Amino acid sequence: MTDASDFDPNLDLVLERFVDVPPELAFRGWTDPEMLKQWFCPRPWKTVACEIDLRVGGAFNTTMESP
């Protein structure tokens, strides 16, 4: 989450979810395209393509497919 002083309750929404996994696995789930494709959208939708470039100025792109 960003610094609380940057949060504007009229414009910003914060979603948090706590999962019982090691931090390294959670990081991989967000940064490894093949792992992200397994969980990123609700079934019966599918994430069929994913590009993640973690460099500064990089890209994050997903393609989802409807049932």
Side-chain angles (χ1 to χ4, degrees):
M1 186 169 145
T2 61
D3 184 332
S5 64
D6 294 336
F7 182 78
D8 180 345
N10 294 313
L11 300 174
D12 299 326
L13 174 66
V14 175
L15 301 173
E16 294 181 332
R17 182 167 184 182
F18 296 92
V19 293
D20 189 20
V21 298
E24 299 82 15
L25 185 57
F27 183 80
R28 275 191 57 217
W30 274 105
T31 60
D32 178 320
E34 291 307 311
M35 287 190 72
L36 187 127
K37 285 167 49 176
Q38 296 176 42
W39 68 267
F40 193 64
C41 64
R43 285 181 172 71
W45 287 67
K46 297 178 186 175
T47 302
V48 294
C50 181
E51 173 191 356
I52 302 172
D53 181 351
L54 294 177
R55 295 175 295 180
V56 173
F60 179 90
N61 184 38
T62 59
T63 303
M64 293 177 237
E65 183 179 89
S66 68

